[in-house]
Amino acid sequence: MGRERVLSGMRPSGRLHLGHLHGALQNWKELQEVYDCFYFVADWHALTSEYADPSSIRESAFDMVVDWLASGIDPEKATIFVQSQIIEHAELHLLLSMITPLGWLERCPTYKEQLVEMKGKDLHTFGFLGYPVLQTADIIMYRADWVPVGVDQVPHLELAREIVRRFHNFYGEGIFPEPQPKLTEFPKIPGTDGRKMSKSYGNAIFLSDSEEETEKKILTMMTDPARVRRTDPGDPEKCPVFALHRVYTPAGERDELSKGCTTAGIGCVDCKRVLIGHLNASLQPLRRRRIELASDPDRVQRLLREGTARAREEARRTMAEVRAALGL
Ligand code: TRP
Ligand code: SF4
């Protein structure tokens, strides 16, 4: 028996931040030790919303992959590739689009939400409606058993399973496994304004930030809003800085800080300085690798090419079977 297969992808959003590190990359890194992992750059998916100006997608993809590698995604263990370099994804997407009822797509909660949320972009397109069909093609192309995704993506996985069942009904059982979402608990990573960390909110600490930039961002980070003066006691539970302490500061020291906060024994700047020390120390190896990788784009491109070649072989095998099943 081979190892079970895991597949996941990310839209190329450029430089990644602490939210990506703790919400996805560390998980990917652990999974690559246990599963046969495929991780890919979902650049066609980016086009579903960025079609009007695709000029930055390529560079964003590069920056993102540098962050993957710096975070410890190991191309010797996992297959990393670029979606648009494997045209089989388009063929499978087309075939799946023939059997996917429109109602399934129109009912998809992510579709309805995004239409409302992404104001300023016209998402009333065929491509955007079909996003989950493309995602299904990505997943089943590699016969993935598990797909690590956020809870927001669970409806897409349900849809993928329904599409697989319909495919089997029409063309014969057992061609694809039904992919399951792999949900893991992640620490909450607030941004500097206390909202969820996100590039679009301008509140992110990037993996590529320098120690000085990190320091500056933490020093201006929001704290417990009730703690206005140094003499006001604070509540760590209401403080986004403390949420980061939970990730980066050893428990004993953290308890001391918590006590200092609730008794007004320490000031927020003292508290933040401790965080800055731990945060920068923890990111240092990653940042070093990142600088090295970013200075050697040929190496990054070669690793991606090698991974893509490996993925393409698998995609070709799958498509040969799919065409045979349809009698094409
Ligand atoms: N939709 C995913 C996201 O926005 C990205 C993605 C595309 C993906 N295809 C995938 C994730 C296949 C997992 C598997 O985050
Ligand atoms: Fe937040 Fe620390 Fe200030 Fe308390 S002392 S409010 S935990 S930054």
Side-chain angles (χ1 to χ4, degrees), residues 7-11 40 42 45 83 114 131 134-136 138-139 147-149 152-153 156-157:
L7 175 135
S8 199
M10 261 187 219
R11 295 164 56 124
F40 77 100
H45 285 267
Q83 179 186 36
Q114 301 232 35
Y131 189 107
L134 183 56
Q135 186 165 351
T136 302
D138 302 334
I139 296 167
V147 184
V149 285
D152 59 311
Q153 295 281 315
H156 287 177
L157 266 290

Side-chain angles (χ1 to χ4, degrees), residues 70-302:
S71 305
I73 302 305
D74 181 352
E76 302 272 319
K77 294 177 178 158
T79 301
I80 57 170
F81 67 95
V82 180
Q83 179 186 36
S84 65
Q85 302 308 301
I86 302 184
I87 49 161
E88 281 78 2
H89 286 240
E91 182 182 2
L92 187 52
H93 171 252
L94 175 91
L95 296 176
L96 297 180
S97 79
M98 302 301 171
I99 65 169
T100 305
L102 270 181
W104 292 6
L105 298 174
E106 286 161 346
R107 272 198 300 276
C108 191
T110 52
Y111 176 68
K112 290 191 285 190
E113 276 161 32
Q114 301 232 35
L115 277 188
V116 183
E117 259 171 47
M118 300 252 253
K119 286 182 213 97
K121 275 179 194 148
D122 183 1
L123 297 181
H124 292 91
T125 60
F126 180 49
F128 187 70
L129 179 66
Y131 189 107
V133 182
L134 183 56
Q135 186 165 351
T136 302
D138 302 334
I139 296 167
I140 69 177
M141 183 71 86
Y142 304 95
R143 301 184 161 86
D145 303 288
W146 297 104
V147 184
V149 285
V151 275
D152 59 311
Q153 295 281 315
V154 168
H156 287 177
L157 266 290
E158 253 153 49
L159 201 70
R161 286 198 300 279
E162 286 186 271
I163 293 174
V164 165
R165 287 197 281 271
R166 200 162 154 92
F167 186 96
H168 287 161
N169 273 334
F170 288 135
Y171 312 122
E173 294 295 323
I175 298 178
F176 300 111
E178 289 184 21
Q180 303 289 335
K182 199 169 201 38
L183 295 168
T184 329
E185 284 287 323
F186 302 114
K188 241 185 73 196
I189 307 290
T192 50
D193 60 359
R195 291 187 290 173
K196 183 183 157 141
M197 189 175 285
S198 158
K199 189 176 185 172
S200 56
Y201 290 160
N203 66 1
I205 295 168
F206 294 97
L207 305 183
S208 49
D209 282 346
S210 67
E211 300 203 339
E212 295 70 30
E213 284 165 316
T214 305
E215 177 176 16
K216 239 191 261 162
K217 288 181 178 179
I218 298 292
L219 285 175
T220 57
M221 187 163 179
M222 195 192 122
T223 60
D224 172 5
R227 195 167 188 206
V228 183
R229 277 171 300 260
R230 167 70 178 76
T231 48
D232 297 332
D235 180 355
E237 297 308 316
K238 295 188 179 132
C239 178
V241 173
F242 201 76
L244 294 184
H245 274 300
R246 287 193 198 287
V247 181
Y248 292 101
T249 305
E253 196 176 2
R254 193 170 64 223
D255 291 344
E256 286 301 311
L257 291 169
S258 172
K259 227 176 284 162
C261 174
T262 52
T263 57
I266 58 164
C268 288
V269 174
D270 309 321
C271 182
K272 286 174 166 182
R273 291 250 173 247
V274 175
L275 176 63
I276 291 163
H278 289 303
L279 180 57
N280 277 335
S282 150
L283 289 177
Q284 195 194 38
L286 186 161
R287 286 171 166 164
R288 238 189 236 148
R289 283 193 296 272
R290 198 188 189 289
I291 290 169
E292 238 172 73
L293 286 156
S295 72
D296 192 357
D298 290 347
R299 173 161 167 236
V300 176
Q301 298 296 2
R302 178 174 53 78

Side-chain angles (χ1 to χ4, degrees), residues 61-76:
F62 178 84
D63 289 341
M64 182 172 81
V65 170
V66 168
D67 280 330
W68 289 5
L69 297 169
S71 305
I73 302 305
D74 181 352
E76 302 272 319

